[in-house]
Amino acid sequence: MSDSHSTLPSQNTGWLDKSRIVAKPGFNRWLVPPAALAIHLCIGMAYGFSVFWLPLSRAIGISQPLVCPADMSLLSELFASHCDWKISTLGWMYTLFFVFLGSSAAIWGGWLERVGPRKAGIVSTFCWCGGLVISAIGIKLHQIWLMWLGSGFIGGIGLGLGYISPVSTLIKWFPDRRGMATGMAIMGFGGGAMIGAPLADLLMKSFATPTSVGVYETFLVLAAIYFVFMISGALGYRIPADGWKPAGWTAPAASKSAMITSHHVHLSDAWKTRQFWLVWMVLCLNVTAGIGIIGMASPMLQEVFAGKLIGVDAIFTELTPAQKTSIAAIAAGFTGLLSLFNIVGRFFWASLSDKIGRKATYATFFLLGFAMYASIPSMAEGAHLALFVTFMCIILSMYGGCFATVPAYLADMFGTKFVGAIHGRLLTAWSAAGIFGPVLVNYLREYQLAHGVARADAYNITMYILSGLLIVGFLCNWLVRPVSEELHMSKEAVAAEKKLADDTHEHFVSDVTAIAHEVSHSWKIALAWAAVSLPMAWGIWITLQKTMLLFK
């Protein structure tokens, strides 16, 4: 896919121009991660949209769904305003999110590299928040096609641009800690639902009336809140001057074992290489397995352990409605715990990759993941709840770590010049996994239940298949080798790609002497980090409260 497919403008637009955000002498690089987090914490609400499904499924009936005629076609349902939407119809929003996230990141990744992260962040803001407003109108008019257009299509484009906008910027600011830097930002995407879902729940309860479930009002409030945070994050982006590096840091020599290059590979060459498609498969297979777990986590816990969760010796179908309500609350705590590990894993594994290397980190994901996926059926059969929960939490930490580590993996192989655009094209693997994972898991489960398999055993074959996918992923990762030197750009070619103004060299700085010195003596840093840390702390507190139900 060539950059000629991009339709977004690239001309100079004054204060939005890339040359305007080159950091001046004395700029502290620790101001950039909070800007990235401000955007990722907002767009990460895509993971939490399921909080709207039950209320929207009774948006007209209010107390209970007003069911559409059984023979109504999907096309008719798109424009129906007299009956409630099915949850399965609403669930298509997830597919739209991740399909358009990956495709927009691939199409406009090159444009982002040319115009800089500020302009991309602002476009992302208007797409994501504007999409929420359009969806609110769709909910008010009860037209689901407007929801799909607003949050799914337009919002999905905002997801893609917002997701990749800080990647290359952070890698350039933190060449000494690439994994840690991207992990800090991308953990925000995993944490968005942890904050947004309980906030949305509070707002819906506040706006609910005898004639409204309070969802469209909630969408409008979220759009306003997210707009403030995302615009602030976009305006906070800065890029280092060409040639900048932290004081006292020396780039590691290129090494085949470390697979780190000091050269650059052009976007037009990078995506055609064997290495790109091997890493594409690595990401796709890991995410396919992980996203399957996310989608089935709550029903799996309830159906596998059933009455054992509340001290009753009964299978799921033997439980009373009140008992099912009790285990559903426990499952909600379990889901929250998994979200927390998804977030923590993004920072932990990405930071660890700075020490052991990206290839070794992914080898750990696949081998450890294989052992755990294959062990889950026996954990369930033996009713080992604590081990089951532990294994699932570790699996979700590696799912998050996979996303956070891959930008640094790409930078190691292809250099930093086009890493944002290369990462954008790689995210089409996420789009594919967003289809493969849920379809594989859901259809296998339904097929087994239809053929008389007990609910508690309906996930066993799925776990074995997912563990097999991880072995294939391990082999793909093992085959990754350094990119051929023939594809390295010459110094002249790199200079020709340089788009910054001629005077940006005066901004060359070496103001960093140590992390402790960087973090201290700056009220701006304290304020920036507080703005993103306080919402995260609130989300973690709410999650931990729900999680305690699991261990009562």
Side-chain angles (χ1 to χ4, degrees):
M1 192 178 298
S2 67
D3 294 334
S4 61
H5 289 179
S6 172
T7 58
L8 293 176
S10 59
Q11 68 268 23
N12 188 310
T13 54
W15 65 280
L16 287 180
D17 192 68
K18 187 175 181 179
S19 62
R20 296 292 187 93
I21 61 172
V22 177
K24 295 181 179 179
F27 180 81
N28 194 309
R29 63 177 178 170
W30 286 93
L31 285 167
V32 181
L37 275 168
I39 290 180
H40 273 225
L41 286 171
C42 296
I43 62 176
M45 181 54 187
Y47 271 136
F49 254 60
S50 60
V51 74
F52 300 120
W53 295 167
L54 283 176
L56 285 176
S57 70
R58 49 182 173 80
I60 294 180
I62 306 299
S63 59
Q64 60 183 7
L66 184 61
V67 182
C68 294
D71 59 350
M72 177 178 285
S73 66
L74 177 60
L75 182 62
S76 299
E77 191 175 352
L78 289 178
F79 301 96
S81 59
H82 61 281
C83 59
D84 281 311
W85 301 315
K86 297 192 292 279
I87 289 180
S88 59
T89 304
L90 291 164
W92 275 99
M93 187 69 73
Y94 275 123
T95 300
L96 293 173
F97 277 151
F98 298 119
V99 166
F100 285 106
L101 184 156
S103 57
S104 63
I107 293 171
W108 290 305
W111 171 81
L112 184 152
E113 289 289 350
R114 291 195 300 273
V115 303
R118 174 183 285 180
K119 187 182 293 186
I122 289 176
V123 173
S124 171
T125 300
F126 279 95
C127 287
W128 179 242
C129 299
L132 287 173
V133 172
I134 294 172
S135 289
I137 296 171
I139 295 168
K140 182 66 174 176
L141 300 178
H142 203 71
Q143 296 289 302
I144 197 169
W145 69 269
L146 276 173
M147 277 195 68
W148 288 2
L149 172 66
S151 291
F153 174 63
I154 298 174
I157 293 173
L159 283 177
L161 290 175
Y163 189 86
I164 64 173
S165 63
V167 171
S168 63
T169 302
L170 285 169
I171 286 176
K172 291 167 185 172
W173 275 118
F174 292 87
D176 49 338
R177 297 175 181 86
R178 290 175 176 176
M180 181 207 70
T182 55
M184 277 191 293
I186 293 176
M187 76 175 182
F189 191 82
M194 185 181 65
I195 301 169
L199 175 59
D201 186 55
L202 290 174
L203 290 171
M204 286 188 291
K205 289 176 180 177
S206 175
F207 288 121
T209 67
T211 58
S212 172
V213 292
V215 179
Y216 89 84
E217 299 96 333
T218 298
F219 269 51
L220 291 175
V221 172
L222 288 177
I225 294 172
Y226 289 161
F227 185 86
V228 172
F229 271 83
M230 293 179 72
I231 282 291
S232 299
L235 295 179
Y237 280 146
R238 295 293 185 274
I239 58 175
D242 191 54
W244 179 91
K245 64 179 181 178
W249 177 77
T250 302
S255 164
K256 290 191 175 182
S257 60
M259 294 192 65
I260 299 176
T261 181
S262 58
H263 300 279
H264 304 285
V265 178
H266 197 280
L267 171 64
S268 61
D269 294 322
W271 77 278
K272 299 175 184 177
T273 62
R274 179 168 171 257
Q275 288 85 349
F276 175 89
W277 290 105
L278 284 171
V279 177
W280 192 98
M281 288 296 297
V282 163
L283 182 64
C284 184
L285 291 167
N286 198 328
V287 174
T288 295
I291 211 167
I293 288 289
I294 290 175
M296 72 163 66
S298 178
M300 182 192 297
L301 184 78
Q302 295 178 67
E303 293 179 337
V304 170
F305 290 94
K308 297 182 182 67
L309 293 171
I310 52 175
V312 177
D313 187 16
I315 62 175
F316 184 81
T317 54
E318 296 172 347
L319 297 175
T320 65
Q323 289 172 330
K324 287 182 179 178
T325 299
S326 296
I327 68 170
I330 293 173
F334 175 60
T335 304
L337 186 63
L338 294 182
S339 298
L340 188 56
F341 272 81
N342 180 7
I343 298 163
V344 173
R346 291 173 186 244
F347 182 74
F348 171 78
W349 290 108
S351 298
L352 181 64
S353 75
D354 287 333
K355 305 295 184 182
I356 69 173
R358 323 305 169 193
K359 191 171 182 178
T361 302
Y362 277 93
T364 303
F365 291 160
F366 289 119
L367 291 179
L368 185 57
F370 167 78
M372 291 188 169
Y373 276 86
S375 300
I376 284 176
S378 61
M379 295 295 100
E381 185 178 351
H384 300 300
L385 178 61
L387 276 177
F388 176 87
V389 171
T390 300
F391 279 22
M392 295 286 276
C393 286
I394 295 174
I395 285 171
L396 260 293
S397 79
M398 294 189 293
Y399 170 81
C402 173
F403 283 115
T405 307
V406 79
Y409 203 172
L410 294 173
D412 289 351
M413 286 191 295
F414 300 110
T416 61
K417 188 72 177 176
F418 298 97
V419 68
I422 297 170
H423 182 225
R425 295 193 177 181
L426 190 81
L427 289 180
T428 53
W430 191 358
S431 299
I435 298 172
F436 298 152
V439 168
L440 175 65
V441 170
N442 294 336
Y443 278 94
L444 274 175
R445 175 183 175 276
E446 290 181 5
Y447 177 83
Q448 292 185 87
L449 291 177
H451 286 75
V453 177
R455 286 179 179 269
D457 301 324
Y459 301 96
N460 293 355
I461 292 178
T462 302
M463 290 296 106
Y464 294 135
I465 291 176
L466 294 180
S467 63
L469 293 180
L470 294 181
I471 289 298
V472 178
F474 173 80
L475 294 175
C476 291
N477 183 62
W478 179 72
L479 290 172
V480 174
R481 299 290 185 271
V483 177
S484 171
E485 293 183 3
E486 296 177 358
L487 294 176
H488 291 167
M489 296 175 65
S490 64
K491 292 182 179 180
E492 293 75 17
V494 172
E497 290 288 341
K498 188 172 177 290
K499 300 295 184 181
L500 302 181
D502 292 338
D503 64 347
T504 58
H505 288 288
E506 70 184 51
H507 299 309
F508 184 89
V509 294
S510 56
D511 56 303
V512 180
T513 56
I515 291 181
H517 179 69
E518 289 177 323
V519 176
S520 62
H521 307 109
S522 176
W523 64 270
K524 290 183 179 179
I525 291 177
L527 184 62
W529 279 99
V532 293
S533 297
L534 291 177
M536 288 185 68
W538 178 78
I540 291 172
W541 171 245
I542 297 295
T543 298
L544 290 177
Q545 284 183 313
K546 293 181 179 179
T547 300
M548 292 307 296
L549 293 172
L550 187 62
F551 300 103
K552 283 187 176 181

